[in-house]
Amino acid sequence: QVQLVESGGGLVQPGGSLRLSCAASGIIFRIYRMGWYRQAPGKQRELVAVISNEGSTDYADSVKGRFTISRDNAKNTVYLQMNSLKPEDTAVYYCNGRRFGVAYDVDYWGQGTQVTVSS
């Protein structure tokens, strides 16, 4: 059974920091591209950051320079360090694991963790 379990969300003041974690089980973690997406109320889910199985990273323009994605293959865990948080970062953050295939890709999602940036 595949599980992606996020943790680390919460309420933080503007300018503050949070570190999200996503622990994976039931998959061969090291071959998956891992990512963080977010969905704010009334908006579509959007990509925040991804990290390939080889460690290369990519970020949404809105978070570049503030957020850092990393992974620990020994712990089957991906992290999102969020600094200089803004109210517009408020959203439910979802962990994603994607295995690329020849014919199709396979996606797994976590249940989401709420991040609220407010004074």
Side-chain angles (χ1 to χ4, degrees):
Q1 181 182 1
V2 178
Q3 281 192 309
L4 300 180
V5 180
E6 301 102 333
S7 61
L11 173 64
V12 63
Q13 292 187 340
S17 298
L18 281 176
R19 188 194 195 202
L20 304 184
S21 299
C22 172
S25 59
I27 61 172
I28 305 174
F29 182 81
R30 59 180 171 80
I31 70 172
Y32 276 71
R33 188 195 77 174
M34 300 302 297
W36 290 95
Y37 290 71
R38 67 186 181 188
Q39 188 167 18
K43 294 187 177 182
Q44 289 188 332
R45 190 174 297 190
E46 63 176 1
L47 183 146
V48 176
V50 292
I51 182 166
S52 74
N53 61 329
E54 297 176 340
S56 60
T57 60
D58 197 14
Y59 298 90
D61 288 343
S62 59
V63 307
K64 282 181 181 176
R66 300 188 297 122
F67 291 10
T68 302
I69 189 171
S70 60
R71 64 190 296 160
D72 185 337
N73 288 344
K75 296 182 178 180
N76 286 4
T77 301
V78 61
Y79 305 97
L80 185 68
Q81 178 66 43
M82 305 186 293
N83 298 329
S84 302
L85 282 160
K86 305 175 181 180
E88 51 263 45
D89 294 317
T90 296
V92 178
Y93 283 70
Y94 296 91
C95 177
N96 167 260
R98 173 171 291 181
R99 187 185 77 230
F100 293 95
V102 175
Y104 58 90
D105 303 330
V106 175
D107 276 296
Y108 296 106
W109 294 91
Q111 81 287 351
T113 186
Q114 177 70 47
V115 172
T116 302
V117 185
S118 175
S119 55

